[in-house]
Each structure stands twice: as C-alpha cells, then as structure tokens.
Amino acid sequence: MDSRRDFLQKLTFSAIGLPLLTFSGLASAEATNLIYEQPYQGPVLRVAIMGLGSYGTRVAEAMQSSKKAKLVGVISGTPSKVKDWQAKYNIPAKNCYNYENFDAIKNNPDIDAVYVITPNALHHDQVIRVAKAGKHAICEKPMAINAKEGQEMVDACNKANVKLLVGYRLHFEPKTLEIIRMREAGEFGKIMFFQGLSGFTIGDPNQWRLNKQLAGGGAMMDIGIYSVNGARYMVGEEPVWVTAQETKTDPVKFKEGVDETIQFQFGFPSGAVASCLSTYSMSNLDRFFLNGTEGFAELHPATGYGPIKGRTHKGELTQPHQTHQTVQMDEMAAIILEGKKPVVPVDGEEGLKDLKIIDAIYLAAKTGKKVDLTV
C-alpha cells in the first residue's frame, strides 16, 4: 500500500507541475521516473541473529528494508530481550533459542543462516556449532581472536558444506567500490601509498571491549581492523611485511593485553607502503587516503555507518548513501542463495587473512622487529 500510495502521489505531483504534458509525454515520464517497483519474488535468506546488543539491533532494524534477507529467529542469553524481539519483529517462539540450546536449530527448517554478533572471543565456538547444525554462518568481525581460531572456523564450515561470511559491510559501500573500480582501471596510476586512521575515545572502562578474555585485544580488534582490511582493498594487494609500535598512556584502563594505540606499517609486493593508526584514546580518526602516480582518493569518514564521504583527483564522489547493513544482508543473501561473487570477498578466507595480519602486528609491536607475512 505504501508503494502504491507513493506512486500515486508522484503521479499527481507530476500532473500538477506539468499541466500541458501530452499523453505520450506523460507515458514517457511515467516510464522513466514513475515506474511502479514490483515486489521482489526471488529466494529469501531466513536469518536468526545471535547476540541482541546494540549492533544486533542495528542489523535487525536494517533488515526490515532488505529484500533478499529476513529476520526469522533470535539467539540470546537474556530472556527479556528475546521476549521484546519476539513482539517487535513477530518472531515465533519456535525460532527463539538461548546459548545453551541453539544447537537445536539443526532441526528447524525455517532458519537458513545465523548471524553471530557476540563478543569476539565467543565467535569461534559459536560459529562451529552453527556449522555443525548445518546452517550458514555470518560472523561479525574480527572473525576470531587469532588466525588459529579463524582457520578452525573455516575448516568447520567447509566440512559441514555451509558458507562462512564475515560482516564486512564496507565491501558493498558505493563510494568505496568506486575507488576500487578507478584503481583497477588504472586511473590512479601506480599505487604508492595508503594511510588508514581508525580510532575513537572509548567510554565505559568495564565494557567487554576492554576485557582481553572477551575481546582478544583492544583497539586493534575493534577499530584497527578497518585500516588493516582497508589497506588491502584500497591498495589491491596483500602485505608482505609489517612493522608496529604500541603506545599506552593509561595502563589502568588498558590492562595487559588490551592495546590502546598501535601504529603499524605495511609493505606490498609492488613496492607500495601503508602507514596506519589504531587507537581507543583519540577521536576524529576515520580516514583513508590512497596515493598513486596519477591521482589520489580520500574517504573521510571512511568506515562509519554513514554517510561515507569521499573525493578523488577528479572531484567529489557522489554515489548515494544506502544503509550499510541493509545492502550487506541483501548481498550476502545473494552470495549464499545465488552464488553471487562480490567485488571484494566477504568469506571466511578473507576474515582469516585479516587475522593473520593482526597476529603479525601484535608480534611486531611486541618484538620491535619487522615481521614477514604470507597471507
């Protein structure tokens, strides 16, 4: 009804604004601007969200606008949240689980995939359980807390013949994809340098992100991974070495094993280099800059929920903003159900590469040595 009403309103406004428009002109205008959008009738990915916190809520809200993905179930350790989500999203009781009994999704044909949005250290076991239940797994980043765990997750999903995807929403972001297109077309010339700045001032000192047992680290595992991943898709290569330096100004808030600030540098096979910053103690840091012999590209903000803003040596990037999580879920549904190949991968192997690099960053920061990489 809303779509039909919007269509009629547009048609009325057009008629008012163009009183002398001929019938053929009206038909042409209708054909080009006022086409009634037919409802999507293809396959739909039925998703249960595991972890009903702030980001799980953001994903759930965004999925209400998805065409190819539908929220059909929840998994949570908080009964009151389950009850609230049931009422808000019309989720049947048979599709509601807790962390102890969710293996029973194996016998629920109404759930195709589980989106794991829990603290980092829980991803490994939860994704493997999802795979053993025969369901596709979508996992928030970082995929795990180290490469060893990540490899075990990839292996488990391969063994179960289910997909493992990682929540790299920016791999579908229009301005980001335009820069990748320009780079691949040679419009920047030879890529020489990338800078990634990822940071904010973190609040509550008691939150799980500052608990090594749950987070697996500190800023690097939460915000720094954006510059790790961004360096790879912006430059279009995999780094072959890394150096890193850690700075800690508040050892009370940032306890042992919880990094506050890390600067890190990459070298790439072509000779390009990257310089990046990951921090929990400085704000206004969300910028990517790519420099080549023939031009440049900048995203600022580069990784927030949007709108992303960008420019190149050719001018401002004007691709329209779309809710990242809505696009992500539609695209992931197409990957799982239709075999679609994204421009930038979002699979478990992609997540594993980031974990190998993060392991190397931590090692470089600890030892002060240059660490060679093979990802």
Side-chain angles (χ1 to χ4, degrees):
M1 289 299 293
D2 288 344
S3 297
R4 182 174 181 272
R5 182 169 62 248
D6 292 343
F7 170 75
L8 292 174
Q9 287 175 343
K10 289 178 182 177
L11 186 60
T12 301
F13 294 154
S14 296
I16 292 172
L18 300 170
L20 300 179
L21 193 64
T22 64
F23 177 80
S24 60
L26 178 60
S28 176
E30 181 177 332
T32 56
N33 299 318
L34 306 172
I35 297 174
Y36 178 76
E37 186 175 347
Q38 295 295 324
Y40 173 74
Q41 296 181 343
V44 173
L45 185 72
R46 299 166 299 176
V47 180
I49 289 181
M50 180 187 297
L52 310 185
S54 60
Y55 194 70
T57 299
R58 183 180 289 273
V59 171
E61 286 297 300
M63 283 181 68
Q64 303 312 297
S65 300
S66 294
K67 296 178 181 179
K68 297 183 178 182
K70 181 181 179 182
L71 175 62
V72 300
V74 294
I75 303 168
S76 174
T78 308
S80 61
K81 286 185 179 181
V82 173
K83 185 176 180 181
D84 290 344
W85 280 51
Q86 272 190 271
K88 184 172 184 179
Y89 299 112
N90 194 29
I91 297 172
K94 67 181 182 63
N95 290 356
C96 298
Y97 301 87
N98 58 43
Y99 296 130
E100 286 71 44
N101 69 12
F102 77 82
D103 306 274
I105 60 172
K106 180 177 183 179
N107 303 313
N108 190 333
D110 296 333
I111 295 174
D112 303 314
V114 176
Y115 194 160
V116 177
I117 312 177
T118 55
N120 306 337
L122 305 181
H123 295 175
H124 171 267
D125 291 352
Q126 290 170 341
V127 165
I128 290 175
R129 287 171 66 187
V130 169
K132 288 181 177 179
K135 305 299 181 181
H136 301 293
I138 303 171
C139 183
E140 248 323 292
K141 58 178 181 16
M143 188 173 79
I145 61 172
N146 56 51
K148 177 179 180 296
E149 286 195 356
Q151 185 66 64
E152 291 169 357
M153 294 161 70
V154 169
D155 292 344
C157 289
N158 286 338
K159 182 178 179 180
N161 196 30
V162 297
K163 296 282 189 183
L164 170 56
L165 305 180
V166 185
Y168 291 116
R169 57 187 167 81
L170 294 165
H171 291 197
F172 309 109
E173 197 281 315
K175 294 181 179 69
T176 301
L177 290 175
E178 174 59 12
I179 291 174
I180 292 171
R181 184 202 67 75
M182 292 177 68
R183 187 205 71 231
E184 291 179 342
E187 295 182 36
F188 302 123
K190 177 178 171 60
I191 300 301
M192 303 296 293
F193 174 72
F194 171 80
Q195 182 187 51
L197 304 178
S198 299
F200 64 92
T201 303
I202 199 165
D204 180 9
N206 298 312
Q207 63 181 282
W208 70 262
R209 288 177 178 82
L210 297 176
N211 180 329
K212 178 173 171 55
Q213 281 64 47
L214 289 175
M220 181 60 63
M221 303 300 288
D222 180 27
I223 190 71
I225 190 173
Y226 283 104
S227 281
V228 172
N229 191 248
R232 295 174 52 232
Y233 63 68
M234 294 282 277
V235 174
E237 300 180 60
E238 302 296 356
V240 292
W241 59 258
V242 59
T243 53
Q245 307 81 37
E246 181 175 3
T247 303
K248 187 170 292 191
T249 65
D250 188 348
V252 175
K253 187 173 186 177
F254 304 100
K255 297 178 176 59
E256 181 68 26
V258 179
D259 49 287
E260 176 185 349
T261 300
I262 294 181
Q263 299 174 75
F264 56 97
Q265 302 79 37
F266 293 149
F268 296 92
S270 66
V273 292
S275 177
C276 303
L277 176 69
S278 164
T279 184
Y280 264 162
S281 62
M282 290 177 267
S283 295
N284 307 308
L285 292 175
D286 184 11
R287 178 178 181 264
F288 287 173
F289 182 78
L290 184 70
N291 201 32
T293 56
E294 305 296 329
F296 73 90
E298 179 185 42
L299 292 172
H300 186 207
T303 65
Y305 295 141
I308 301 299
K309 295 182 180 180
R311 64 189 180 104
T312 74
H313 60 288
K314 295 187 174 182
E316 183 182 358
L317 296 172
T318 59
Q319 289 74 17
H321 171 68
Q322 299 168 292
T323 301
H324 297 173
Q325 294 80 9
T326 301
V327 178
Q328 173 193 318
M329 294 310 299
D330 276 339
E331 291 293 326
M332 286 187 165
I335 291 168
I336 291 173
L337 298 176
E338 303 165 21
K340 184 175 181 179
K341 301 293 184 183
V343 173
V344 186
V346 292
D347 56 20
E349 294 290 347
E350 176 78 0
L352 180 58
K353 289 176 180 179
D354 280 345
L355 292 173
K356 289 179 178 179
I357 295 168
I358 289 173
D359 283 354
I361 290 172
Y362 280 135
L363 179 60
K366 182 179 180 179
T367 63
K369 297 180 179 179
K370 184 178 183 179
V371 176
D372 291 331
L373 275 171
T374 302
V375 299

